[in-house]
Amino acid sequence: MRIKKRWIILFLLPGIALFCFVFLITTVQVFATSFCNWRIGGEISFEGINNYKQLFMSDDFLSALKNNIIWIVLQSTIHVLFGLIFALIISRRKKYSGFFRTVYMLPNIISSAALGMLFYNILNPMYGPVNKIVQFFGVKDFNVNWFADANVAFFAVTITWLPFAAIVALLVIAELSAISEDIPEAAVIDGANELQLNIYIKIPLVRNAIGTGTILAATSMLQKLDILIMTSNGGPGNKTMNLPLLIYKTAFKDNNFGLANAQGVILIIVGLISIGLINKIYRMNDPI
């Protein structure tokens, strides 16, 4: 038994070392330098909580934080719901499930930057098909600049993240396929219709898969950068600014790494709170 434990420890060591050197040390450094005045070419000096005071007095930061929270909620509800509905439909149409899963996953195969360019061209006010289709159906003067109009830019950016619902769908489909056929068949014999079968049988049995997909969806909103740069670049003004983009601009354009790391600390805290809430809502640690 002792020999087996030694082998387990031996195999765990590379992963532990990678975690410590790549994640743990850098995370500690981010927290430590968030209390410093740190600019490239200058001395690093301790500033206390000045960076955090500056953050919560900044309209750009407050707007980015608000946008991030809204996007986390939307991604964790509407986008996850799309994925769940698609999974439930495909699970009933097994003959075509392979084809539809492939088509549904296609936007996730290409890079986020390429996906951003795809949506930028689709919603382009000059040659994009969306405006042309609306004009074709009778609204001749319809010409919306989707990523530059303050009234619709947030909505346009939110649409670009809808393809992530395919990830949730795949997780749920995999979990649905593991459910014994005897369970839904017994429910049908007892008189359950399709809606009741989904609500009372299938969805509770795939709760963990939905919760996992929701966590992935929520945390994906804490990483989105390239697709924003390719579409709205946080504008107009700060209407579509999020924390990753603000951190990038603060660090590499304003040369203020101390302030950027303070923003990063807030981003980490938002992520931890989001994961904790989702775990509690879906009761991820409870048995099915």
Side-chain angles (χ1 to χ4, degrees), residues 135 143 201 257:
Q135 291 170 5
N143 189 32
I201 304 294
F257 286 85

Side-chain angles (χ1 to χ4, degrees), residues 2-155:
R2 186 176 296 175
I3 295 174
K4 288 183 179 180
K5 286 183 178 179
R6 288 175 181 175
W7 277 107
I8 292 172
I9 294 171
L10 182 63
F11 282 114
L12 285 176
L13 280 176
I16 294 172
L18 182 66
F19 173 79
C20 289
F21 285 105
V22 176
F23 296 103
L24 184 60
I25 293 176
T26 52
T27 302
V28 171
Q29 185 183 32
V30 166
F31 273 87
T33 53
S34 69
F35 297 99
C36 299
N37 179 17
W38 178 20
R39 297 175 184 270
I40 297 298
E43 296 270 342
I44 298 178
S45 59
F46 183 73
E47 293 286 331
I49 61 172
N50 285 344
N51 284 333
Y52 291 95
K53 287 181 179 178
Q54 186 176 341
L55 281 186
F56 288 98
M57 293 174 63
S58 167
D59 290 337
D60 284 341
F61 171 76
L62 294 176
S63 179
L65 179 61
K66 181 191 73 174
N67 290 341
N68 246 131
I69 292 173
I70 293 173
W71 274 322
I72 287 172
V73 172
L74 292 176
Q75 187 83 332
S76 302
T77 52
I78 296 176
H79 290 190
V80 169
L81 182 62
F82 272 110
L84 175 61
I85 292 172
F86 180 81
L88 292 171
I89 293 172
I90 289 300
S91 68
R92 296 289 298 171
R93 303 289 184 268
K94 295 181 179 179
K95 183 178 179 181
Y96 307 103
S97 63
F99 170 76
F100 284 110
R101 274 186 287 181
T102 302
V103 172
Y104 201 37
M105 274 298 296
L106 280 177
N108 292 279
I109 296 173
I110 62 177
S111 68
S112 295
L115 188 64
M117 284 302 300
L118 178 66
F119 275 101
Y120 181 81
N121 284 287
I122 290 173
L123 298 175
N124 190 282
M126 297 182 64
Y127 53 81
V130 172
N131 284 355
K132 300 296 183 184
I133 291 170
V134 176
Q135 291 170 5
F136 176 79
F137 282 101
V139 188
K140 299 298 182 182
D141 57 345
F142 187 87
N143 189 32
V144 176
N145 192 343
W146 293 91
F147 292 112
D149 188 330
N151 296 316
V152 296
F154 189 90
F155 171 75

